[in-house]
Amino acid sequence: MGRYAVAHQTPAGTNLTIINCIGTAAILLRIYDVILGSDTAPPADFATEFNITRTTAVGTGGTGLTASLLNPFGVAATGSATGGTFSGEPTYGSNILLMIALNQRGTFRWMAAPDGELVATAAASNGLGLRSINSGGTPNINATIHWEE
């Protein structure tokens, strides 16, 4: 089992994926730590709603993100991650696993309770997506996700 980190920055918006962590049929990808914030100077108090939901198909476009080993003596990740901006969004399921409402001036961190990780379905092209559901503006969103597999 390895632990990995991935980070990305993209503007907020309506139903826009920030990071999509993608597993395989051979692993259970489990998110256990999420950090969200904005590096944009706040012209107003924009609020953004985020959620993490299981995905059943990867999006098109996006930027391939390199997973960093949290333990430098570990093995490379089997799972992968992509970040926005997507030309075609990933396919999302209907069950929201985590919902976060955040003011642009704030930074938020979610850490799973023991055995409370968010788990992707172990199937090809399935994963967990962090997306901006709606926002009062388009500030940059900076996100870091830690997962284990």
Side-chain angles (χ1 to χ4, degrees):
M1 173 184 357
R3 290 185 172 222
Y4 310 91
V6 66
H8 191 62
Q9 175 194 71
T10 193
T14 302
N15 294 328
L16 295 177
T17 300
I18 299 165
I19 298 175
N20 187 23
C21 298
I22 305 151
T24 71
I27 63 166
L28 280 178
L29 187 141
R30 296 180 298 270
I31 291 176
Y32 65 89
D33 199 354
V34 177
I35 303 167
L36 289 169
S38 176
D39 66 350
T40 305
D45 282 333
F46 292 134
T48 303
E49 177 188 340
F50 302 92
N51 71 32
I52 296 179
T53 307
R54 288 187 182 96
T55 58
T56 57
V58 297
T60 55
T63 302
L65 305 175
T66 302
S68 300
L69 285 163
L70 292 177
N71 175 352
F73 300 105
V75 297
T78 300
S80 61
T82 53
T85 304
F86 291 84
S87 54
E89 287 287 313
T91 303
Y92 283 87
S94 59
N95 295 325
I96 296 169
L97 304 179
L98 182 65
M99 181 184 290
I100 304 159
L102 182 63
N103 183 287
Q104 179 187 352
R105 296 177 189 254
T107 298
F108 177 84
R109 183 174 188 187
W110 173 84
M111 295 184 312
D115 296 322
E117 300 88 359
L118 306 178
V119 182
T121 304
S125 301
N126 280 227
L128 295 160
L130 167 66
R131 65 182 168 165
S132 164
I133 298 302
N134 59 54
S135 182
T138 56
N140 282 340
I141 300 301
N142 304 71
T144 301
I145 292 178
H146 290 181
W147 84 76
E148 64 182 12
E149 54 185 53

